[in-house]
Amino acid sequence: MGRTVADLESAKALLLFPDGLGADFDGLLSGVREGLGEAKLPMFGGLAGDNWSMERTYQYADDAVLSGGVAWAALCGSVEPVW
C-alpha cells in the first residue's frame, strides 16, 4: 500500500479498479494523470460491483480491504499491451 503512481517509471500500462458505487471518475483520472506527470500510460480496468445490491463494494490492495477506494496494478517488464 505504500506505492504511488509516481513509482511507475517502468510500467507499460495501468490497471484501475475503483468503487463502482461512488467513484468520481473525473477526479480519479485527474489524480492519476497528476501523479504520472509527463508519463503516458494506457489505462484499463473496471468498476467494482456488489451483484446489484447497490450497497457497498470492496477493493483489495496488499493486505488491506477497502470500501470506497481504488485497487490498481501496473504491467511492467517485457510486455506490450494491446487493445
Side-chain angles (χ1 to χ4, degrees), residues 3 20 52 72:
R3 306 200 113 207
W52 296 105
W72 63 273

Side-chain angles (χ1 to χ4, degrees), residues 62-79:
D62 295 329
D63 60 350
V65 179
L66 309 168
S67 189
V70 178
W72 63 273
L75 291 177
C76 299
S78 59
V79 297

